[in-house]
PDB file of all heavy atoms in Angstrom:
ATOM      1  N   ALA A   6     116.904 135.363  60.800  1.00 42.00           N
ATOM      2  CA  ALA A   6     116.104 134.258  61.107  1.00 42.00           C
ATOM      3  C   ALA A   6     114.836 134.762  61.907  1.00 42.00           C
ATOM      4  O   ALA A   6     115.032 135.452  62.803  1.00 42.00           O
ATOM      5  CB  ALA A   6     116.887 133.204  61.928  1.00 42.00           C
ATOM      6  N   GLY A   7     113.716 134.195  61.602  1.00 44.00           N
ATOM      7  CA  GLY A   7     112.548 134.643  62.264  1.00 44.00           C
ATOM      8  C   GLY A   7     112.273 133.793  63.484  1.00 44.00           C
ATOM      9  O   GLY A   7     113.053 132.936  63.828  1.00 44.00           O
ATOM     10  N   PRO A   8     111.126 134.006  64.189  1.00 47.00           N
ATOM     11  CA  PRO A   8     110.910 133.322  65.471  1.00 47.00           C
ATOM     12  C   PRO A   8     110.703 131.864  65.215  1.00 47.00           C
ATOM     13  O   PRO A   8     110.857 131.035  66.143  1.00 47.00           O
ATOM     14  CB  PRO A   8     109.553 133.955  65.906  1.00 47.00           C
ATOM     15  CG  PRO A   8     109.207 135.004  64.903  1.00 47.00           C
ATOM     16  CD  PRO A   8     110.151 135.061  63.765  1.00 47.00           C
ATOM     17  N   GLY A   9     110.362 131.440  63.970  1.00 45.00           N
ATOM     18  CA  GLY A   9     110.216 129.977  63.763  1.00 45.00           C
ATOM     19  C   GLY A   9     111.531 129.217  63.501  1.00 45.00           C
ATOM     20  O   GLY A   9     111.514 128.041  63.131  1.00 45.00           O
ATOM     21  N   ALA A  10     112.650 129.948  63.283  1.00 45.00           N
ATOM     22  CA  ALA A  10     113.834 129.383  62.955  1.00 45.00           C
ATOM     23  C   ALA A  10     114.319 128.341  63.969  1.00 45.00           C
ATOM     24  O   ALA A  10     114.016 128.545  65.274  1.00 45.00           O
ATOM     25  CB  ALA A  10     114.979 130.405  62.843  1.00 45.00           C
ATOM     26  N   ALA A  11     114.992 127.374  63.592  1.00 50.00           N
ATOM     27  CA  ALA A  11     115.525 126.402  64.537  1.00 50.00           C
ATOM     28  C   ALA A  11     116.547 126.981  65.435  1.00 50.00           C
ATOM     29  O   ALA A  11     117.567 127.433  64.907  1.00 50.00           O
ATOM     30  CB  ALA A  11     116.059 125.134  63.732  1.00 50.00           C
ATOM     31  N   VAL A  12     116.424 126.862  66.658  1.00 61.00           N
ATOM     32  CA  VAL A  12     117.418 127.421  67.646  1.00 61.00           C
ATOM     33  C   VAL A  12     118.683 126.636  67.631  1.00 61.00           C
ATOM     34  O   VAL A  12     119.603 127.136  68.126  1.00 61.00           O
ATOM     35  CB  VAL A  12     116.766 127.507  69.085  1.00 61.00           C
ATOM     36  CG1 VAL A  12     115.705 128.701  69.037  1.00 61.00           C
ATOM     37  CG2 VAL A  12     116.262 126.225  69.528  1.00 61.00           C
ATOM     38  N   SER A  13     118.667 125.444  67.140  1.00 70.00           N
ATOM     39  CA  SER A  13     119.884 124.653  67.193  1.00 70.00           C
ATOM     40  C   SER A  13     120.744 124.861  65.931  1.00 70.00           C
ATOM     41  O   SER A  13     121.668 124.144  65.663  1.00 70.00           O
ATOM     42  CB  SER A  13     119.534 123.110  67.364  1.00 70.00           C
ATOM     43  OG  SER A  13     119.057 123.020  68.652  1.00 70.00           O
ATOM     44  N   ASP A  14     120.314 125.749  65.075  1.00 89.00           N
ATOM     45  CA  ASP A  14     121.194 126.140  63.891  1.00 89.00           C
ATOM     46  C   ASP A  14     122.454 126.638  64.447  1.00 89.00           C
ATOM     47  O   ASP A  14     122.421 127.608  65.262  1.00 89.00           O
ATOM     48  CB  ASP A  14     120.380 127.197  63.092  1.00 89.00           C
ATOM     49  CG  ASP A  14     121.230 127.796  61.941  1.00 89.00           C
ATOM     50  OD1 ASP A  14     121.770 127.042  61.170  1.00 89.00           O
ATOM     51  OD2 ASP A  14     121.452 128.987  61.971  1.00 89.00           O
ATOM     52  N   ALA A  17     122.851 130.403  64.526  1.00 93.00           N
ATOM     53  CA  ALA A  17     121.986 131.062  65.513  1.00 93.00           C
ATOM     54  C   ALA A  17     122.585 130.857  66.980  1.00 93.00           C
ATOM     55  O   ALA A  17     122.682 131.799  67.810  1.00 93.00           O
ATOM     56  CB  ALA A  17     120.677 130.562  65.558  1.00 93.00           C
ATOM     57  N   ARG A  20     125.594 133.194  67.331  1.00 95.00           N
ATOM     58  CA  ARG A  20     125.170 134.557  67.428  1.00 95.00           C
ATOM     59  C   ARG A  20     124.686 134.873  68.867  1.00 95.00           C
ATOM     60  O   ARG A  20     125.017 135.838  69.446  1.00 95.00           O
ATOM     61  CB  ARG A  20     124.066 134.851  66.377  1.00 95.00           C
ATOM     62  CG  ARG A  20     123.602 136.240  66.345  1.00 95.00           C
ATOM     63  CD  ARG A  20     122.580 136.612  65.254  1.00 95.00           C
ATOM     64  NE  ARG A  20     121.395 135.846  65.374  1.00 95.00           N
ATOM     65  CZ  ARG A  20     121.026 134.785  64.661  1.00 95.00           C
ATOM     66  NH1 ARG A  20     121.860 134.321  63.596  1.00 95.00           N
ATOM     67  NH2 ARG A  20     119.886 134.081  64.854  1.00 95.00           N
ATOM     68  N   MET A  21     123.910 133.941  69.374  1.00 96.00           N
ATOM     69  CA  MET A  21     123.293 134.093  70.683  1.00 96.00           C
ATOM     70  C   MET A  21     124.358 134.131  71.800  1.00 96.00           C
ATOM     71  O   MET A  21     124.428 134.957  72.601  1.00 96.00           O
ATOM     72  CB  MET A  21     122.274 133.062  71.010  1.00 96.00           C
ATOM     73  CG  MET A  21     120.930 133.324  70.195  1.00 96.00           C
ATOM     74  SD  MET A  21     119.618 132.165  70.644  1.00 96.00           S
ATOM     75  CE  MET A  21     120.123 130.608  69.863  1.00 96.00           C
ATOM     76  N   MET A  53     119.973 122.571  73.376  1.00 94.00           N
ATOM     77  CA  MET A  53     120.834 123.687  72.832  1.00 94.00           C
ATOM     78  C   MET A  53     122.174 123.655  73.372  1.00 94.00           C
ATOM     79  O   MET A  53     123.140 123.947  72.618  1.00 94.00           O
ATOM     80  CB  MET A  53     120.114 124.937  73.084  1.00 94.00           C
ATOM     81  CG  MET A  53     118.859 125.331  72.257  1.00 94.00           C
ATOM     82  SD  MET A  53     118.042 126.852  72.590  1.00 94.00           S
ATOM     83  CE  MET A  53     119.324 128.030  72.290  1.00 94.00           C
TER      84      MET A  53
END
Side-chain angles (χ1 to χ4, degrees):
V12 291
S13 292
D14 170 57
R20 185 175 61 252
M21 288 186 283
M53 283 177 62

